[in-house]
Amino acid sequence: MSVPLSILDLAHIGEGESVRDSFDASVTLAQRAEKWGYRRIWYAEHHNMRTIASSATSVLIGHVAANTSTITLGSGGVMLPNHAPLTIAEQFGTLATLHPGRIDLGLGRAPGSDQQTMRAMRRDPSSADRFPQDVQELQGYLSDESLVQGVVATPGAGTHVPLYILGSSLFGAQLAAALGLPFAFASHFAPDALEQAVSIYRADFRPSAQLDAPYVIAGVNVIAADTEADAQRQFLATKRSRVSLLLGRGRKFTDDEADMLLDAPQGHQIRQMTKYSAVGTPSTVKDYLDKFTRHADADELIVASGSVDRESWLRSYELLADVSELAGQEPARTTA
């Protein structure tokens, strides 16, 4: 690959699995990804989703970090309006102290949940409006000088945990550019504004203490398999599972019902979410990702596999690492 590859692990709870099974699978993936040569693994904060176990993001990062040695781990991302910046600074300051040089902090503005769950978390509906100020406050806590007089994050102060702005719109691009931070675009599920957002970010970027030039991470779905037919089978199963997740409201559809919904207007969102998907044999996937890298004007790709069974999920990442010759690549850091 012409750019580094990273992994987005949603800590998916598969059919018939427990939450602990999901955590064990995340550890297994991280241990193997470390050997395969991936740059980083990120975990996303989601709430009230029965199939995703990464709600306590910093705790999961700590667990995986304790069971690995070198791979960078982080949030993709922490939904900052759900939290006090000081709390996140203390959590990630703790992680960075225990695992120096291995912790990232990606930040998002969305709730990562529905309206009812937002209320259950005691979130102020207007808290997203303070996102730019909260990012800067958090950055201060992690630096050598807090922006809040008399308040110091312990642990946290002086750790300089690298921050990343996550987004699926132009807002995130503009904020990342203004603050001089790396920008990660969620094109793996919200592809529409990718090109415009990256263009704005690169044009408006202002160098900062953390970063002297723009740095773009683009998300993309990946299913690599030993045969084209198997990859397409897995891709269809992934889309069917999303139909039940997004349209079922607690109901699980049969395969025939899911296929009908995918072809119907209700399935447009799911079809659009998977617009950027590399599916096929390893060489086919690599060719797609090379083209996508140029299309997204990306400095790094973060890939998410939607394979619904564990062996295929792990195999997909292994095949991609092999064909991309990741092992032996220099694991350089991207930020100060």
Side-chain angles (χ1 to χ4, degrees), residues 11-14 16-26 49-55 60 310:
H12 177 71
I13 305 169
E17 288 186 337
S18 66
V19 171
R20 181 56 191 257
D21 291 333
S22 170
F23 293 156
D24 290 346
S26 289
M49 298 188 72
R50 293 179 182 272
T51 59
I52 296 179
S54 51
S55 54
L60 179 56
R310 286 298 177 198

Side-chain angles (χ1 to χ4, degrees), residues 45-282:
E45 178 186 345
H46 292 281
H47 300 280
N48 195 31
M49 298 188 72
R50 293 179 182 272
T51 59
I52 296 179
S54 51
S55 54
T57 312
S58 61
V59 180
L60 179 56
I61 292 169
H63 175 61
V64 177
N67 286 279
T68 51
S69 302
T70 58
I71 194 166
T72 298
L73 303 166
S75 59
V78 160
M79 301 297 106
L80 191 55
N82 294 342
H83 312 277
L86 177 61
T87 299
I88 297 303
E90 291 168 342
Q91 291 176 4
F92 280 79
T94 298
L95 289 169
T97 301
L98 293 171
H99 309 283
R102 296 183 57 203
I103 302 300
D104 290 335
L105 178 47
L107 301 168
R109 185 175 61 141
S113 62
D114 54 73
Q115 295 294 320
Q116 187 172 353
T117 307
M118 284 175 56
R119 290 192 291 271
M121 292 190 295
R122 306 295 193 269
R123 173 176 165 165
D124 178 356
S126 66
S127 56
D129 298 337
R130 300 191 298 271
F131 182 63
Q133 293 77 22
D134 284 349
V135 171
Q136 292 175 294
E137 182 180 336
L138 173 58
Q139 193 172 36
Y141 290 135
L142 295 170
S143 71
D144 297 314
E145 187 174 349
S146 172
L147 300 183
V148 181
Q149 186 174 4
V151 179
V152 176
T154 306
T159 57
H160 300 281
V161 177
L163 303 185
Y164 296 73
I165 299 297
L166 279 58
S168 57
S169 68
L170 305 186
F171 177 88
Q174 293 163 342
L175 179 61
L179 297 181
L181 295 175
F183 178 52
F185 192 86
S187 35
H188 62 293
F189 75 87
D192 291 347
L194 170 63
E195 294 171 87
Q196 187 179 5
V198 172
S199 177
I200 288 173
Y201 169 69
R202 291 194 178 279
D204 295 348
F205 180 85
R206 301 175 186 173
S208 68
Q210 178 177 324
L211 195 64
D212 59 6
Y215 194 86
V216 172
I217 302 175
V220 58
N221 301 291
V222 166
I223 295 180
D226 293 292
T227 67
E228 177 72 24
D230 189 28
Q232 293 297 334
R233 176 192 63 79
Q234 293 181 47
F235 189 41
L236 178 57
T238 298
K239 289 185 285 187
R240 285 169 173 168
S241 69
R242 290 191 181 184
V243 169
S244 294
L245 177 65
L246 298 176
L247 303 178
R249 297 181 181 178
R251 175 188 171 188
K252 182 174 175 58
F253 295 107
T254 67
D255 288 349
D256 287 343
E257 290 171 333
D259 291 344
M260 289 178 61
L261 286 168
L262 281 170
D263 292 335
Q266 300 97 309
H268 172 77
Q269 178 189 5
I270 294 167
R271 297 194 302 272
Q272 187 65 9
M273 286 173 68
T274 56
K275 175 180 178 180
Y276 294 125
S277 296
V279 180
T281 61

Side-chain angles (χ1 to χ4, degrees), residues 4-42:
L5 291 180
S6 297
I7 292 172
L8 177 64
D9 180 2
L10 294 176
H12 177 71
I13 305 169
E15 187 80 24
E17 288 186 337
S18 66
V19 171
R20 181 56 191 257
D21 291 333
S22 170
F23 293 156
D24 290 346
S26 289
V27 169
T28 297
L29 173 62
Q31 290 171 337
R32 296 187 187 183
E34 193 168 68
K35 296 176 182 177
W36 292 334
Y38 285 93
R39 171 163 290 184
R40 70 183 95 236
I41 301 178
W42 279 357

Side-chain angles (χ1 to χ4, degrees), residues 269-312:
Q269 178 189 5
I270 294 167
R271 297 194 302 272
Q272 187 65 9
M273 286 173 68
T274 56
K275 175 180 178 180
Y276 294 125
S277 296
V279 180
T281 61
S283 59
T284 299
V285 167
K286 183 180 182 300
D287 288 345
Y288 181 98
L289 294 182
D290 283 334
K291 293 174 184 176
F292 176 74
T293 299
R294 294 189 292 271
H295 172 75
D297 195 11
D299 300 292
E300 179 179 337
L301 300 183
I302 189 160
V303 300
S305 173
S307 298
V308 294
D309 68 271
R310 286 298 177 198
E311 289 306 314
S312 297

